[in-house]
């Protein structure tokens, strides 16, 4: 077993990994940028090392600096968390060359699943259902239009080298495809350094349902059930739950969905923890979307219904241990939900709300879990994803979870900055949400903030600060994306040769 693990991340995920390591008797090493010098993860780790300036490209994305700290501190393994370098195959290979274990999947699995067209090809060959689409990036808008005319509108244009909603456009009629193509290409080029775009048949009112899988290095696989992740804003998840309201009560669909996820993981040559994501229509037909080759932000809901610590399992698998669970030995209990609480102002278009947290009171009580890297007096930095905490709840039934979350949100206090707490309070009262009648477009097409008690900017200085925060955040994300784009470009030729004949996200 490892004696020392470096966590190549920050915020709540770094704190979460540190806690599991402490329970396992493993010493932890934190890394931090200048913006995070006083952050919680720095304080709670056994050791902490500065790695650079605030921009992620000068700190959390610098492979050589992180590996240098690992060598100097005597780390035997590195946990990448999610975001930053977690899905960077070059980082996984650099760890291996340095004799340090990467707590994640093999580099080749990361590569193959990171290029969407290549991933689609692998899944189709393995018999995993995929949305009808072009087998590789379309050569030009004429080829995209020809596919759309043959398959029928609506269609979705998607960047081949990335995700997180970047380079994605819904096209509902032939007259719109030229403009959408130019927009998708431009956004893909800016975000990933690669303007390759492919075309898929659009699934109307889709659900986003994913399956958590675990695999050891001996080729043993298990699934830990499905998660419903349909509540999204700009293609980014904001509330997740398990089990899925659509899948619950339909054992045949659940069986087929989870079998497809295991088949997908095998086809990818996977080991460690991963998530296979699907689009599902109202008739419960499902199609492979992508595979996230890392721990997910929403992993706590799976832990709450299974009692399995996914970070612990990641570490054990990386240490060469065999899976401790037989496929029929996992017990699922109750229902769990997670709200991602952000330093954002919903009444101002969800603009980031950086600044000092003047007061912080976290909810407690039966069935409540809060994962957070924030503390009272801490300043939410401009440079990174503005996640403050993940508020999670468990209860025997979905209705009871909603009631428990409603109570917890009343107890959750953040002073000094705007947050999404009020947004979630209103969301839990929405009849469609309460009925489980949700899809990926619910929030953007039919949900109004109504009477959410979140103040609008009171003056021009406040608005200017918020706009500056948005620009700083976008610049940081763009820099990170440029690195991903460089990697994607190297593999673009390989992917096209293989296919001829898709943060990120941010967290």
């Amino acid at each position: 077993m490892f004696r020392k693990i470096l966590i190549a991340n920050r915020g709540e995920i770094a704190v979460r990994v540190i806690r599991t390591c402490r329970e396992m008797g493993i010493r932890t090493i934190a890394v931090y940028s200048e913006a995070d010098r006083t952050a919680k993860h720095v304080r709670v780790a056994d050791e902490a090392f500065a790695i650079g300036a605030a921009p992620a490209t000068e700190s959390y994305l610098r492979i050589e600096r992180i590996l240098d700290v690992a060598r100097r501190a005597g780390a035997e393994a590195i946990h990448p968390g999610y975001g930053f370098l977690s899905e960077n195959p070059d980082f996984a290979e650099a760890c291996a060359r340095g004799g340090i274990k990467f707590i994640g999947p093999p580099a080749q699995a990361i590569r193959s699943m990171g290029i969407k067209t290549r991933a689609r090809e692998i899944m189709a060959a393995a018999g995993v259902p995929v949305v009808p689409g072009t087998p590789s990036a379309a050569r030009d808008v004429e080829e995209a239009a020809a596919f759309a005319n043959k398959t029928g509108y609506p269609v979705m244009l998607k960047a081949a080298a990335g995700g997180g909603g970047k380079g994605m456009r819904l096209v509902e009629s032939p007259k719109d495809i030229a403009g959408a193509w130019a927009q998708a290409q431009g956004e893909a080029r800016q975000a990933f350094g690669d303007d390759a775009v492919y075309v898929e048949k659009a699934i109307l009112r889709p659900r986003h349902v994913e399956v958590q899988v675990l695999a050891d290095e001996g080729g043993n696989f298990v699934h830990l059930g499905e998660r419903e992740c349909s509540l999204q804003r700009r293609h980014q998840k904001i509330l997740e739950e398990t089990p899925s309201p659509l899948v619950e009560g339909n054992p045949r669909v659940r069986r087929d969905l989870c079998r497809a996820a295991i088949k997908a993981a095998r086809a990818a040559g996977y080991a460690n923890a991963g998530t296979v994501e699907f689009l599902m229509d109202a008739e419960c037909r499902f199609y492979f979307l992508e595979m996230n080759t890392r721990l997910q932000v929403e992993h706590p809901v799976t832990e709450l219904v299974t009692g399995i610590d996914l970070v612990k399992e990641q570490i054990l698998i990386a240490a060469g241990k065999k899976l401790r669970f037989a496929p029929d030995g996992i017990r699922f209990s109750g229902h769990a939900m997670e709200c991602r609480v952000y330093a954002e102002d919903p009444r101002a278009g969800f603009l980031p709300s950086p600044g000092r947290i003047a007061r912080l009171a976290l909810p407690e009580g039966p069935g409540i879990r809060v994962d957070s890297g924030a503390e009272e007096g801490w300043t939410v930095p401009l440079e990174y994803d503005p996640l403050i905490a993940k508020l999670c709840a468990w209860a025997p039934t979905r209705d009871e979870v909603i009631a428990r979350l409603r109570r917890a949100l009343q107890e959750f206090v953040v002073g000094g900055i705007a947050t999404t707490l009020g947004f979630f309070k209103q969301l839990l009262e929405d009849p469609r949400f309460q009925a489980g009648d949700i899809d990926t477009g619910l929030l953007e097409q039919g949900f109004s903030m109504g009477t959410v008690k979140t103040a609008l900017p009171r003056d021009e200085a406040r608005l200017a600060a918020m706009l500056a925060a948005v620009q700083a955040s976008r610049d940081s994300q763009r820099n990170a994306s440029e690195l991903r784009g460089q990697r994607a470009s190297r593999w673009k030729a390989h992917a096209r040769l293989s296919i001829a004949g898709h943060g990120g996200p941010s967290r």
Side-chain angles (χ1 to χ4, degrees):
M1 183 50 63
F2 307 120
R3 291 168 297 177
K4 267 190 179 184
I5 290 177
L6 183 146
I7 299 93
N9 218 296
R10 64 178 298 278
E12 50 81 24
I13 184 56
V15 174
R16 189 263 174 276
V17 174
I18 288 168
R19 285 174 172 160
T20 287
C21 288
R22 185 156 292 158
E23 291 179 7
M24 298 177 71
I26 300 170
R27 290 183 61 82
T28 55
I29 304 160
V31 292
Y32 62 91
S33 71
E34 285 301 315
D36 280 335
R37 183 172 291 276
T38 61
K40 183 176 180 178
H41 77 281
V42 176
R43 178 174 55 79
V44 299
D46 294 301
E47 303 173 56
F49 295 81
I51 54 171
T57 50
E58 295 300 319
S59 51
Y60 297 108
L61 291 171
R62 296 298 293 268
I63 292 175
E64 72 283 359
R65 292 184 186 177
I66 292 171
L67 290 177
D68 178 63
V69 169
R71 286 188 289 266
R72 287 190 286 124
E76 299 157 293
I78 291 178
H79 195 298
Y82 36 68
F84 295 135
L85 295 170
S86 62
E87 293 181 283
N88 184 326
D90 296 338
F91 184 46
E93 289 180 337
C95 288
R97 288 195 301 270
I100 298 170
K101 186 67 176 183
F102 178 76
I103 301 177
Q108 187 53 44
I110 300 174
R111 279 200 175 93
S112 61
M113 293 298 100
I115 301 174
K116 289 187 177 183
T117 46
R118 175 61 178 153
R120 280 172 51 84
E121 182 190 52
I122 291 171
M123 296 306 146
V128 178
V130 298
V131 179
T134 56
S136 60
R139 291 188 299 271
D140 48 39
V141 68
E142 287 75 20
E143 183 177 350
F147 172 85
N149 291 332
K150 179 180 178 181
T151 306
Y153 287 87
V155 296
M156 189 72 77
L157 306 181
K158 291 185 175 183
K166 301 292 191 299
M168 182 183 295
R169 290 293 185 278
L170 176 67
V171 186
E172 299 188 81
S173 70
K175 67 181 178 59
D176 299 325
I177 195 164
W181 175 266
Q183 292 173 339
Q185 271 200 321
E187 193 169 280
R189 186 184 306 111
Q190 182 181 47
F192 308 112
D194 186 341
D195 66 1
V197 173
Y198 68 103
V199 193
E200 281 185 349
K201 176 67 178 172
I203 307 300
L204 298 179
R205 294 200 63 202
R207 310 280 285 241
H208 186 137
V209 181
E210 63 189 28
V211 178
Q212 176 71 58
V213 297
L214 287 174
D216 63 28
E217 295 177 351
N220 300 299
F221 290 79
V222 295
H223 74 80
L224 301 183
E226 86 281 352
R227 295 186 290 251
E228 174 85 52
C229 303
S230 297
L231 285 168
Q232 301 178 8
R233 178 175 53 79
R234 295 193 287 269
H235 303 290
Q236 297 293 323
K237 306 167 189 173
I238 60 171
L239 184 148
E240 305 93 351
E241 61 182 298
T242 186
S244 162
L246 183 62
V247 177
E248 182 73 348
N250 196 327
R252 179 191 61 80
V253 171
R254 174 169 290 144
R255 180 200 64 203
D256 293 347
L257 180 73
C258 293
R259 284 180 178 175
I262 294 295
K263 187 182 292 186
R266 287 189 185 278
Y270 207 79
N272 213 267
T275 302
V276 185
E277 304 198 349
F278 298 91
L279 289 180
M280 184 176 288
D281 64 20
E283 286 72 43
C284 290
R285 294 184 293 252
F286 57 86
Y287 307 91
F288 174 81
L289 178 63
E290 63 182 347
M291 185 171 189
N292 282 294
T293 53
R294 53 172 168 80
L295 192 69
Q296 291 282 84
V297 178
E298 59 271 20
H299 76 274
V301 296
T302 295
E303 295 182 329
L304 287 171
V305 300
T306 62
I308 295 172
D309 183 333
L310 287 173
V311 173
K312 182 176 182 178
E313 299 310 314
Q314 284 191 291
I315 294 171
L316 291 174
I317 291 169
K321 304 296 183 181
K322 184 178 178 180
L323 279 180
R324 301 187 295 160
F325 316 102
D328 59 353
I330 298 168
R331 297 292 175 261
F332 300 88
S333 174
H335 202 105
M337 287 185 184
E338 172 184 292
C339 297
R340 301 190 190 186
V341 181
Y342 285 97
E344 295 177 340
D345 191 339
R347 293 293 301 274
F350 290 92
L351 284 171
S353 177
R356 182 177 179 272
I357 298 177
R359 185 184 175 204
L360 182 63
L362 301 178
E364 299 175 342
I368 294 298
R369 166 177 167 176
V370 181
D371 284 14
S372 178
E375 297 179 296
E376 191 167 287
W378 179 64
T379 298
V380 179
L382 299 175
E383 291 81 7
Y384 314 116
D385 184 273
L387 182 68
I388 296 175
K390 299 185 307 193
L391 170 60
C392 310
W394 176 94
T397 68
R398 188 174 189 269
D399 288 344
E400 289 174 291
V401 165
I402 293 173
R404 186 161 279 173
L405 271 178
R406 187 183 293 117
R407 184 267 298 171
L409 286 165
Q410 295 297 331
E411 297 178 5
F412 205 138
V413 178
V414 181
I417 58 173
T419 73
T420 53
L421 288 172
F423 166 80
F424 284 115
K425 290 175 184 177
Q426 182 167 326
L427 176 62
L428 295 187
E429 303 302 325
D430 187 271
R432 292 163 298 176
F433 171 74
Q434 292 180 350
D437 181 19
I438 56 181
D439 60 70
T440 58
L442 173 66
L443 298 184
E444 294 177 355
Q445 295 173 8
F447 185 83
S448 171
M449 282 306 297
T451 58
V452 171
K453 305 297 184 183
T454 305
L456 288 166
R458 293 185 177 180
D459 51 42
E460 293 183 2
R462 169 68 170 158
L463 180 58
M466 294 174 72
L467 291 172
V470 172
Q471 189 58 52
S473 176
R474 287 176 176 172
D475 288 346
S476 178
Q477 292 170 10
R478 185 179 301 115
N479 288 337
S481 295
E482 285 172 359
L483 293 185
R484 290 194 297 270
Q486 292 167 12
R487 296 193 301 274
S489 295
R490 287 198 297 271
W491 284 89
K492 179 179 176 182
H494 168 75
R496 286 179 171 167
L497 286 173
S498 301
I499 296 167
H502 84 1
S506 73
R507 300 181 56 176

